[in-house]
Amino acid sequence: PIRRSSARGAGLRGVMGRLAAFGARIVEILMHLLDRVIPPPQEGRRGWLGSPYAVGVTVLIPIVVVGLVIAFWLSGAGESTFDQCVTRAMSAGDTARTIDSADVRGTVAGWNAVLAVVDECEAIRPNDAAMSALRREGRSILDRLQNVERRNPTVIYPFPNAELTNAVLQGEDLYVLDANNQQVYRVTLTSDGLGVVQGSYTPIPAMRRGGRVINFDVGDLIDIAWADISAGVAQSNVITGVDRNGVVIACPPRFLQDCTAQQLPGSDTWQNPVAIQFWEGRLYILDPDANQIWRYDPTGGTFAGVPLEYFSGVGRPNITGAVDFAITEAGEVYLLLDTGVIVRFRAGEVQPFAFTFPDSQQLNAPIALFMNTNPIAQGLFITDRSQRTVFETTMAGTFINAYRAEDEGLFASINNVIADSNNNVIYALSGNTVFAFPRTR
């Protein structure tokens, strides 16, 4: 437990020193006023200041001033904003320590409240020893209760002025979508997955706002995905992007200048698509505002037909809160809602699915879903920026782990993650930077 005496004592000494100086200045001003009001006596006559009454007044004034200073301090008027914040933080810590350890939810809520006040204090005065110690105590308790594992992420690559929202890993090539500049980049990772090959940074000219492919002008990009089958695109194993005008751009990884493009029919029926996926040559587009997943079937090497509705008939589900989706090799669609729920579908019909999390842990406001289909470690990774946390579960929703950075500020702008089972590495996209950390210790 953190004791408040040292922090309080340091604050008290500072406050009293400032008040003493203030009191001395007040006394000096009062004595100056007395000199003006009561002039020196004429020669040979006794002045008023020489009387017993005047001596008493002179002695009394400093006493009154000091008394007022002490009274102001005791009433709290002498505390600085930081001192008051420290007092609140220490009091919240004392309260959190009294919560029964069997009351997991209450303990979590209590220590979260403590850390919120500590954040306030550190915003006023960073790196205060007492507040740092209180933060360590609270975080240690919360991590243990919430099954959180801390990692020290490695910076893989910072992209200038970027806001990275999605990534595709194919072999050692990492493709990232920068929503801020509306540009897709490629970098090549080192064999251990923890670095970037020097000189491999490559913006893809065709995958950017204002780019031009054949006769198509590229607009804002919705998302990127890997197409391993050539049923609807010119060739297999290409990185693809779809823009908001319905233009599909496909680029072979070794010849990024030789991109192809096509116009999707019926894009004027879209409302606000947010993500794309390929499955067995078909293209799926998640459009929450339209309460639909649009499906494009390949015909003669292109997507020539109008979009089909994944959800049809009566009793359609409400997916207006969907933020991301993924498709298994068997064709099952996993849909992540902003409420922290995943709904699973097969051929448009809902299937049983429920998270199995510890009582102390839950999804608050998830924003992205990554499905790891590698047989070595199949599972789901959910990004929750509000908690600066990456959650890992099985395909059935059973909790495996929750990951946070030792420096939580690194994940303050986290948008997405992908996992590489071969190197056992998780890549986090936060702000303009790709970070990497080991999945297991």
Side-chain angles (χ1 to χ4, degrees):
I2 309 301
R3 300 189 181 276
R4 74 179 72 182
S5 57
S6 59
R8 177 71 175 181
L12 174 59
R13 287 190 294 273
V15 170
M16 291 304 292
R18 292 191 294 272
L19 291 176
F22 176 72
R25 177 60 178 162
I26 292 296
V27 171
E28 180 183 351
I29 292 171
L30 289 173
M31 296 306 295
H32 180 71
L33 288 174
L34 283 174
D35 287 341
R36 298 288 301 271
V37 173
I38 305 174
Q42 297 179 4
E43 187 176 353
R45 298 186 62 182
R46 182 180 181 182
W48 182 82
L49 290 175
S51 68
Y53 299 105
V55 173
V57 170
T58 304
V59 173
L60 184 60
I61 287 174
I63 294 174
V64 170
V65 171
V66 172
L68 289 173
V69 167
I70 294 174
F72 285 145
W73 180 81
L74 290 175
S75 68
E79 277 192 311
S80 69
T81 302
F82 177 73
D83 292 325
Q84 293 173 10
C85 188
V86 167
T87 299
R88 286 194 295 118
M90 294 301 185
S91 177
D94 290 341
T95 300
R97 294 184 194 100
T98 64
I99 300 174
D100 188 346
S101 59
D103 181 5
V104 176
R105 291 186 181 274
T107 302
V108 170
W111 281 105
N112 276 329
V114 172
L115 295 183
V117 181
V118 170
D119 285 342
E120 291 182 36
C121 299
E122 291 189 331
I124 300 170
R125 185 182 299 173
N127 304 319
D128 178 77
M131 292 298 93
S132 296
L134 187 56
R135 177 182 294 280
R136 286 194 298 272
E137 179 186 359
R139 205 167 77 168
S140 174
I141 293 170
L142 289 174
D143 287 354
R144 175 174 50 81
L145 290 175
Q146 297 181 311
N147 299 283
V148 169
E149 289 199 10
R150 298 279 173 176
R151 296 290 191 267
N152 282 310
T154 300
V155 173
I156 295 298
Y157 202 91
F159 294 83
N161 285 324
E163 183 66 26
L164 307 179
T165 55
N166 199 8
V168 172
L169 180 63
Q170 192 63 31
E172 293 179 346
D173 289 334
L174 180 67
Y175 301 87
V176 295
L177 171 58
D178 170 11
N180 189 39
N181 296 300
Q182 284 297 311
Q183 171 75 68
V184 177
Y185 308 95
R186 185 187 70 185
V187 293
T188 302
L189 302 174
T190 54
S191 59
D192 62 0
L194 296 176
V196 169
V197 174
Q198 187 174 3
S200 65
Y201 164 79
T202 306
I204 303 178
M207 290 190 180
R208 64 177 179 87
R209 178 173 52 207
R212 188 168 178 82
V213 187
I214 311 176
N215 295 320
F216 297 100
D217 294 321
V218 180
D220 287 351
L221 296 167
I222 299 168
D223 198 6
I224 58 174
W226 187 260
D228 56 355
I229 297 178
S230 62
V233 290
Q235 66 183 84
S236 60
N237 295 315
V238 289
I239 183 68
T240 67
V242 177
D243 78 357
R244 295 193 174 277
N245 300 318
V247 176
V248 179
I249 309 102
C251 301
R254 299 277 72 87
F255 303 98
L256 293 176
Q257 303 295 331
D258 297 335
C259 300
T260 61
Q262 59 179 293
Q263 176 69 54
L264 293 174
S267 61
D268 55 342
T269 62
W270 302 352
Q271 298 296 317
N272 184 30
V274 298
I276 68 171
Q277 291 286 335
F278 285 92
W279 180 71
E280 291 195 344
R282 300 182 180 95
L283 171 62
Y284 293 78
I285 299 176
L286 174 61
D287 190 353
D289 286 5
N291 200 39
Q292 191 59 260
I293 298 175
W294 306 108
R295 190 187 84 202
Y296 285 88
D297 290 345
T299 303
T302 64
F303 297 110
V306 297
L308 304 176
E309 295 183 333
Y310 182 75
F311 301 110
S312 59
V314 297
R316 302 185 187 191
N318 181 1
I319 67 163
T320 54
V323 294
D324 205 354
F325 77 133
I327 306 176
T328 69
E329 293 182 352
E332 294 181 321
V333 173
Y334 282 65
L335 199 64
L336 175 65
L337 306 182
D338 57 9
T339 56
V341 172
I342 283 185
V343 189
R344 184 167 64 101
F345 299 93
R346 181 183 290 122
E349 298 295 326
V350 68
Q351 304 294 310
F353 182 90
F355 283 122
T356 306
F357 275 27
D359 290 340
S360 60
Q361 194 60 275
Q362 64 180 3
L363 292 170
N364 290 342
I367 59 173
L369 170 68
F370 173 77
M371 178 183 289
N372 187 6
T373 58
N374 190 308
I376 298 175
Q378 289 186 343
L380 306 174
F381 293 82
I382 302 104
T383 302
D384 190 329
R385 186 195 300 151
S386 68
Q387 301 184 68
R388 303 182 181 185
T389 304
V390 177
F391 294 91
E392 181 184 3
T393 77
T394 67
M395 295 293 288
T398 302
F399 178 89
I400 295 178
N401 221 332
Y403 305 96
R404 289 179 186 162
E406 287 286 355
D407 178 1
E408 291 191 354
L410 298 180
F411 285 0
S413 300
I414 190 169
N415 285 317
N416 216 327
V417 299
I418 59 173
D420 178 10
S421 298
N422 294 322
N423 283 319
N424 208 26
V425 172
I426 297 173
Y427 297 95
L429 314 180
S430 185
N432 73 326
T433 304
V434 177
F435 294 96
F437 60 89
R439 178 173 171 269
T440 57
R441 294 187 185 277

